[in-house]
Amino acid sequence: MPEPFYRNVPLTGTTEDTYGSTSLPSDPSFAAVANASFVIFNRQKAMGVLGPNLVLEYVFNVDLVGHEEPLYVPDLNKLYITQIQPGFLPQLVADLNQSPPSPSYQTADPPIDVPTGGYSHNGLIYYSTIGGSVVDNQTYRPGIYSLNATSGKSTVLLNSYFDY
């Protein structure tokens, strides 16, 4: 996003998404984002991926909080969607083999706190994590984790001693 811009990010632990209220003085049209269902930042690149006959189709609801971009796992034909909410351990998993897709919450074993930046490879999902939450007297550390999408088992590959 070009400078200058201003986005009010509450420091109260709330997960309210404020992206639509971002102020971008150099581009007054950015105000339209507040009412947009879908945003494309680079039209040329997007149209190369999406094609000329773009259709936006409602598929399923998600909670009105911030989410990471979905991670597609081709072996299972499922989307893994992280809800950016401290202490919220399940992920929304949408099964694209069903019509309409069937989303459900699934929690890794052991749980992964706010998995982000995922990559799917050879049956495993690799996540960087925000961590830092304490849930049921268990502290979740930021780090890099793997998740077996078939079994639901997770493994700590690297954690942060400094906790940030």
Side-chain angles (χ1 to χ4, degrees):
M1 183 173 298
E3 297 276 354
F5 66 88
Y6 175 76
R7 179 174 181 204
N8 183 28
V9 179
L11 300 176
T12 60
T14 181
T15 56
E16 178 184 339
D17 183 16
T18 59
Y19 191 67
S21 64
T22 300
S23 170
L24 185 62
S26 64
D27 184 359
S29 70
F30 191 80
V33 167
N35 298 316
S37 298
F38 190 83
V39 177
I40 294 175
F41 291 100
N42 184 316
R43 183 175 178 83
Q44 183 177 357
K45 287 182 180 179
M47 299 321 283
V49 172
L50 299 172
N53 301 315
L54 180 63
V55 174
L56 179 62
E57 181 180 340
Y58 170 81
V59 182
F60 54 82
N61 281 329
V62 294
D63 292 338
L64 294 175
V65 297
H67 292 83
E68 272 292 301
E69 73 284 346
L71 173 75
Y72 179 62
V73 178
D75 300 344
L76 301 176
N77 199 30
K78 293 184 178 181
L79 289 176
Y80 283 70
I81 306 164
T82 297
Q83 188 166 302
I84 306 294
Q85 184 174 2
F88 187 79
L89 300 176
Q91 285 185 281
L92 187 61
V93 179
D95 186 348
L96 304 178
N97 296 302
Q98 299 186 22
S99 183
S102 166
S104 63
Y105 284 105
Q106 297 177 13
T107 303
D109 177 24
I112 301 173
D113 186 33
V114 193
T116 60
Y119 180 77
S120 176
H121 180 70
N122 288 340
L124 294 176
I125 298 172
Y126 296 91
Y127 285 114
S128 60
T129 65
I130 294 173
S133 295
V134 178
V135 179
D136 296 329
N137 294 320
Q138 171 67 44
T139 300
Y140 293 92
R141 305 288 181 206
I144 299 177
Y145 293 69
S146 67
L147 171 66
N148 182 311
T150 304
S151 70
K153 297 288 183 185
S154 68
T155 303
V156 177
L157 301 177
L158 178 70
N159 66 13
S160 172
Y161 172 80
F162 295 104
D163 204 24
Y164 56 83

